[in-house]
Amino acid sequence: MSHSTDLSSKREQLICLISGGLVFLISLVISRMYTGGDQVGYHNVYAVVSGLGLDDRWRDIHVIYLSRISAAEWVHLLVSLVGGGLDIEKNLLMSLVNAILAAYTVRLFLSWGANVWVATALVLTNYYFYVLYFAAERLKFAFLFLVLSLLFSRKKLCFIASTFLSIFSHFSIVFVYAGIWLSRLPQRLTHGRRISRWAIIASLAALTVFLLWNWDYLLWKLNNYQQTSGPMSIAKVLPVAVLLMLCCLYAKKKSEPVLALLPVLAGILMLDGSRLNMLGFFIFLYYGVQSKGGLNAGTVAVMLYFAYKTVIFVDAIYFLGQGFGVSG
């Protein structure tokens, strides 16, 4: 049994490495074609901070960064600063990050019970992953640390560090963590488990530090989202509502996915749905891949739909220089 487990573990590691390697090669090719959209700002800021160093005043670096990108997530800034300082070409660096994200995500999906082909197909063909690879650069780091926090959830220090880094990479990831916490709350209460005092203190401390650090930015971001996302509409939550129905179809406890997706649905109603739909899809995968390893009608249908969107996305990159259909 031990020998069989070792072989299975080595096989999974090989699958993760192959998936990461393929994503690295794909990224090297496509990233060089993605010259428009958000990448204009990202390339500009990377080129500018390459001439700076960690000995420069942080406030000055921050101002320069904000002049190119209207955001304050400092994880991406630090990566740009270190990568540029080491004279690593940006597309190469981000391709490496994409490979790491893909490899660890496959590992996470396999730990959830996903079929090998489903897990690899998701990171190689899914539209939302391609958005993370090539467009949503700051959110990519939030997803990477989210994946790491879930993989190492039993190692408290790793979990806390990854969670902090995930939230400080992109604030919207808070909706996923809120969903995870809510979905587990009934089980804790019904089994008479007390919520750790230190867990509450750590959570409140993290939230306080984050709010104090980013209060002005969060107010600006909230106002910006409300101005650009239009009036509150039930139609905005339709994509995640469909995913919720599929989650309930495959989840053993029907209340669990409802609670997990509740913060995402609330966020979509209040803010912008584009990124939060992606977060809803990630939560859906947790339930979808646990039923027959993901080889069920609902999950396969969703995968095929998003694979089709990936073709359109890559086609737009090739012809227009960015994936969202507007020439720059």
Side-chain angles (χ1 to χ4, degrees), residues 17-199:
L17 287 172
I18 292 172
S19 300
L22 289 172
V23 168
F24 175 72
L25 295 174
I26 292 169
S27 298
L28 280 179
V29 174
I30 296 180
S31 62
R32 282 163 170 72
M33 295 188 288
Y34 208 120
T35 56
D38 289 342
Q39 283 302 327
V40 174
Y42 289 135
H43 276 280
N44 284 340
V45 78
Y46 196 86
V48 171
V49 300
S50 294
L52 303 174
L54 293 174
D55 55 335
D56 288 277
R57 288 179 58 196
W58 175 258
R59 184 177 295 276
D60 293 338
I61 296 171
H62 197 240
V63 169
I64 293 170
Y65 183 84
L66 285 175
S67 69
R68 268 72 178 181
I69 300 177
S70 58
E73 286 88 5
W74 57 267
V75 172
H76 181 266
L77 169 54
L78 282 174
V79 171
S80 300
L81 187 62
V82 174
L86 294 173
D87 202 26
I88 302 173
E89 198 256 333
K90 179 183 177 297
N91 288 331
L92 175 61
L93 177 61
M94 291 305 158
S95 295
L96 285 170
V97 175
N98 290 343
I100 295 169
L101 172 62
Y104 277 107
T105 302
V106 169
R107 183 177 172 186
L108 179 64
F109 290 159
L110 293 175
S111 74
W112 287 350
N115 176 276
V116 169
W117 296 107
V118 170
T120 52
L122 282 166
V123 299
L124 290 173
T125 69
N126 185 265
Y127 167 72
Y128 283 136
F129 278 97
Y130 274 68
V131 171
L132 290 175
Y133 296 153
F134 305 112
E137 201 160 280
R138 288 169 291 128
L139 187 58
K140 167 165 55 194
F141 288 97
F143 259 89
L144 173 58
F145 290 116
L146 169 65
V147 168
L148 292 175
S149 71
L150 295 175
L151 273 173
F152 303 115
S153 58
R154 293 184 180 180
K155 298 179 180 179
K156 287 187 177 180
L157 186 60
C158 292
F159 172 76
I160 292 171
S162 298
T163 300
F164 266 85
L165 288 169
S166 180
I167 293 172
F168 276 96
S169 295
H170 205 287
F171 180 68
S172 62
I173 213 76
V174 164
F175 291 100
V176 176
Y177 284 108
I180 293 170
W181 187 82
L182 274 178
S183 65
R184 293 177 179 176
L185 187 60
Q187 185 179 9
R188 284 183 171 273
L189 295 176
T190 54
H191 287 79
R193 296 178 185 172
R194 291 185 178 182
I195 300 173
S196 169
R197 182 188 304 173
W198 291 110

Side-chain angles (χ1 to χ4, degrees), residues 164 255 306 314:
F164 266 85
S255 62
F306 282 115
V314 173

